[in-house]
């Protein structure tokens, strides 16, 4: 019995020893493996920086895949829109239909925008492609304006929206980088191209306005340089001056124009704008000009703009610009413009001049007042001495009344000594 028990104890001790040895050996093996991995450059527990690298690589890969997916979605939506609207008329493509593509196309990179723009050019004159093309070019212009311009200019001349694309792209470039856009415009030779009119009138105006708002002295310097290059027109100078309100700025611009050999390209137009904004200052400046710099066209535009705010002052100044032989014609022209603003005051002004022959001026006043002030015309017909002229003014006034109140017009016709002629006149107008 005791020998059996002793035997069992020996077996138990052996099992326990074996188990302990096995477990210890396993731990040693694990430790040795860890050491071996360290020696081989493989670390079982990574450092924070190494963890960050792997995390960045995973994020970068995910972002790249996500971008590719997004761009594919954008291109698919563009293609889907083109397929669905391949036969649609331009008038049926609403702004609401194309508005989402402004945001969608902004997800594409420069290369994809360029590829898509060139693809859309090939699909013209499809209206849907045309509408998406300008959106694509505008988006590309924010990244690569010169490439967007190059594509715009590659459009066939038969497509009416070609110039609109060029102008739109150049406007975006001018707004974001006016100096760069102006340098491009100054370096390009448009003289032998179909873009010459567009460039001199529109592109120059666009970029100069943006540059003027950002840097006035530099803009004036560039105006001088572009004038010498024959790259500005009277139209572009007029549009530039529309944004000017201060007399000192008008003087500065006119000083630049006056010393240029191309001073005729804009001086009159800029001065006319000045008469609309600050007429008294403009008039004083014109009075100091040499006689060869003055012209009837300058005076006429000045009168037209000044008379809107101060008709009597404008008329008085205007007639003083002409000699005695031209006075009668000058008064008639001033009276014509004056009458459009205030016919009663215009008539009083003419009579205050004590002219020996004021009939032409009075007739012009009544003729120009007939549409808006027919009752005033009829009340003053006795001031016109020539029968033919009186009847002409009467006819215009009667017809204006007839359009709003036929019964009143008929009563005036019946009471007139020119009843027959007036009825024939009304009948002809109704038949036309």
């Amino acid at each position: 019995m005791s020998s059996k028990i002793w035997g069992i104890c020996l077996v138990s001790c052996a099992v326990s020893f074996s188990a302990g040895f096995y477990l210890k050996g396993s731990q040693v093996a694990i430790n040795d493996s860890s050491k071996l991995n360290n020696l081989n450059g493989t670390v079982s527990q990574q450092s924070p920086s190494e963890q960050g690298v792997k995390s960045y690589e995973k994020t970068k890969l995910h972002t790249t895949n996500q971008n590719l997916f997004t761009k594919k979605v954008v291109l698919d939506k563009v293609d889907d829109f083109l397929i669905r609207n391949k036969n649609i008329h331009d008038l049926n493509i609403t702004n609401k239909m194309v508005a989402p593509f402004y945001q969608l196309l902004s997800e594409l990179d420069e290369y994809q925008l360029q590829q898509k723009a060139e693809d859309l050019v090939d699909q013209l004159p499809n209206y849907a492609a045309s509408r998406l093309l300008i959106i694509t070019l505008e988006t590309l212009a924010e990244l690569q304006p010169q490439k967007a311009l190059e594509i715009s200019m590659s459009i066939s001349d038969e497509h009416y929206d070609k110039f609109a694309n060029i102008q739109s792209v150049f406007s975006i470039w001018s707004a974001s980088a006016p100096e760069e856009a102006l340098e491009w415009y100054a370096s390009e030779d448009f003289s032998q191209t179909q873009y010459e009119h567009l460039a001199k009138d529109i592109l120059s105006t666009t970029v100069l306005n943006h540059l003027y708002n950002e840097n006035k002295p530099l803009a004036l310097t560039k105006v001088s340089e572009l004038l010498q290059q024959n790259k500005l027109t009277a139209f572009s100078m007029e549009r530039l001056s529309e944004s000017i309100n201060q007399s000192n700025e008008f003087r500065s611009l006119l000083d630049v124009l006056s010393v240029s050999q191309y001073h005729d390209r804009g001086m009159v137009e800029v001065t006319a704008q000045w008469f609309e904004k600050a007429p008294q200052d403009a008039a004083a400046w014109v009075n100091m000009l040499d006689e060869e710099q003055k012209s009837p066209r300058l005076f006429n535009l000045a009168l037209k703009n000044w008379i809107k705010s101060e008709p009597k002052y404008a008329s008085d100044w205007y007639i003083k610009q002409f000699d005695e032989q031209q006075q009668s014609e000058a008064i008639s022209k001033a009276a014509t413009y004056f009458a459009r603003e205030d016919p009663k005051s215009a008539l009083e002004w003419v009579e205050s001049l004590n002219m020996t022959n004021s009939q032409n001026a009075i007739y012009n006043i009544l003729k120009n007042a007939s549409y808006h002030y027919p009752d005033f015309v009829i009340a003053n017909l006795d001031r016109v001495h020539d029968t033919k002229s009186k009847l002409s003014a009467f006819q215009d006034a009667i017809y204006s009344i007839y359009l709003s109140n036929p019964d009143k017009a008929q009563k005036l016709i019946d009471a007139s000594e020119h009843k027959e002629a007036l009825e024939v006149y009304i009948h002809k107008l109704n038949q036309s």
Side-chain angles (χ1 to χ4, degrees):
M1 181 77 178
S2 62
S3 61
K4 286 182 179 181
I5 293 173
W6 178 249
I8 291 171
C9 290
L10 289 175
V11 171
S12 298
C13 289
V15 171
S16 298
F17 178 80
S18 298
F21 183 83
Y22 176 78
L23 290 174
K24 182 177 180 181
S26 297
Q27 183 63 46
V28 170
I30 292 172
N31 291 339
D32 289 341
S33 176
S34 177
K35 290 178 182 178
L36 182 61
N37 286 339
N38 287 337
L39 290 173
N40 290 333
T42 304
V43 182
S44 59
Q45 292 185 351
Q46 298 171 339
S47 67
S49 61
E50 290 168 326
Q51 291 177 348
V53 170
K54 286 202 168 186
S55 175
Y56 169 76
E57 290 175 348
K58 288 181 179 179
T59 302
K60 183 178 179 181
L61 179 62
H62 174 75
T63 302
T64 301
N65 291 336
Q66 184 65 35
N67 288 342
L68 290 173
F69 176 76
T70 300
K71 289 168 183 177
K72 184 179 184 306
V73 169
V74 172
L75 294 172
D76 287 346
K77 287 186 177 181
V78 170
D79 292 338
D80 180 61
F81 178 84
L82 292 170
I83 292 170
R84 285 186 289 106
N85 298 287
K86 62 182 179 179
N87 297 318
I88 198 170
H89 191 277
D90 185 41
L91 296 176
N92 295 327
I93 301 178
T94 64
N95 290 334
K96 185 177 182 180
M97 292 168 65
V98 298
F101 288 98
Y102 280 97
Q103 178 61 38
L104 284 172
L105 290 168
S106 68
E107 302 291 336
L108 302 181
D109 59 32
E110 297 173 18
Y111 177 76
Q112 289 168 318
L113 286 168
Q114 179 182 330
Q115 293 298 107
K116 180 48 63 178
E118 291 172 348
D119 177 54
L120 290 168
V121 169
D122 292 337
Q123 296 184 50
L124 297 177
N126 177 280
Y127 287 117
S130 178
R131 291 296 292 273
L132 289 187
L133 174 60
I134 193 166
I135 299 173
T136 306
L137 289 171
E138 286 175 349
T139 308
L140 178 59
E142 295 176 356
L143 305 173
Q144 286 289 344
Q146 284 190 254
K147 190 61 187 179
L149 274 173
E150 181 184 324
I151 296 173
S152 299
M153 292 178 175
S154 73
I155 299 172
S156 174
D157 295 341
E158 65 190 36
H159 299 305
Y160 72 93
D161 52 358
K162 174 177 183 172
F163 287 173
N165 284 321
I166 295 172
Q167 182 181 352
S168 180
V169 166
F170 193 69
S171 295
I172 291 172
W173 190 8
S174 298
S176 60
E179 290 186 50
E180 291 180 14
L182 186 58
E183 287 304 314
W184 175 86
Y185 173 72
S187 65
E188 289 292 310
D189 182 11
F190 300 99
S191 59
Q192 303 301 318
T193 70
Q194 70 270 39
Y195 313 119
E196 183 175 15
H197 175 74
L198 170 73
K200 287 185 177 182
D201 282 353
I202 306 301
L203 300 188
S204 64
T205 300
T206 301
V207 68
L208 280 175
N209 270 284
H210 283 294
L211 183 59
Y212 190 83
N213 290 333
E214 186 176 288
N215 189 331
K216 291 180 175 59
L218 179 59
L220 291 177
T221 299
K222 294 301 181 181
V223 165
S224 179
E225 293 175 3
L226 292 174
L227 282 170
Q228 299 309 313
Q229 297 176 42
N230 191 22
K231 286 195 169 184
L232 293 179
T233 64
F235 178 87
S236 58
M237 289 295 89
E238 181 180 15
R239 290 295 173 267
L240 175 60
S241 64
E242 285 178 352
S243 61
I244 297 176
N245 293 299
Q246 303 299 320
S247 289
N248 63 314
E249 294 183 30
F250 276 109
R251 290 191 190 94
S252 297
L253 179 55
L254 287 167
D255 285 344
V256 170
L257 292 171
S258 63
V259 298
S260 168
Q261 63 181 5
Y262 299 104
H263 64 270
D264 58 322
R265 298 187 181 178
M267 267 195 79
V268 170
E269 289 74 14
V270 173
T271 306
Q273 284 294 317
W274 193 2
F275 270 94
E276 186 170 337
K277 308 290 181 60
Q280 299 285 351
D281 291 342
W285 186 84
V286 169
N287 290 340
M288 292 188 296
L289 290 177
D290 296 333
E291 290 303 315
E292 61 267 20
Q293 293 180 296
K294 299 177 181 179
S295 68
R297 181 167 174 267
L298 170 60
F299 299 145
N300 291 341
L301 287 175
L303 173 68
K304 184 178 179 181
N305 285 342
W306 190 359
I307 211 162
K308 298 172 186 177
S309 58
E310 299 173 327
K312 186 179 183 304
Y313 287 121
S315 300
D316 285 338
W317 175 85
Y318 177 77
I319 64 175
K320 290 177 182 177
Q321 310 308 312
F322 299 91
D323 57 33
E324 187 175 345
Q325 293 180 337
Q326 300 170 311
Q327 279 284 300
S328 179
E329 183 180 347
I331 291 171
S332 294
K333 182 163 286 189
T336 299
Y337 285 116
F338 201 156
R340 294 172 186 173
E341 305 299 325
D342 185 351
K344 182 176 181 297
S345 296
L347 190 57
E348 292 172 354
W349 175 75
V350 168
E351 291 180 336
S352 70
L353 298 175
N354 295 319
M355 295 172 55
T356 55
N357 182 12
S358 61
Q359 282 295 292
N360 193 41
I362 292 173
Y363 172 70
N364 285 344
I365 290 172
L366 297 183
K367 284 287 286 184
N368 279 277
S370 60
Y371 185 77
H372 292 291
Y373 309 97
D375 291 329
F376 168 81
V377 172
I378 293 173
N380 289 280
L381 281 174
D382 60 333
R383 297 173 186 268
V384 180
H385 301 157
D386 179 68
T387 302
K388 185 177 180 180
S389 298
K390 181 184 292 187
L391 178 59
S392 176
F394 197 9
Q395 286 174 332
D396 289 348
I398 285 294
Y399 186 64
S400 294
I401 295 172
Y402 179 82
L403 292 175
S404 59
N405 192 337
D407 292 337
K408 178 181 177 180
Q410 190 59 52
K411 289 179 182 179
L412 290 169
I413 292 172
D414 292 339
S416 172
E417 57 181 317
H418 306 290
K419 177 180 178 180
E420 184 177 349
L422 290 170
E423 287 182 334
V424 170
Y425 175 74
I426 294 295
H427 179 73
K428 283 183 178 179
L429 290 175
N430 285 334
Q431 293 301 313
S432 61

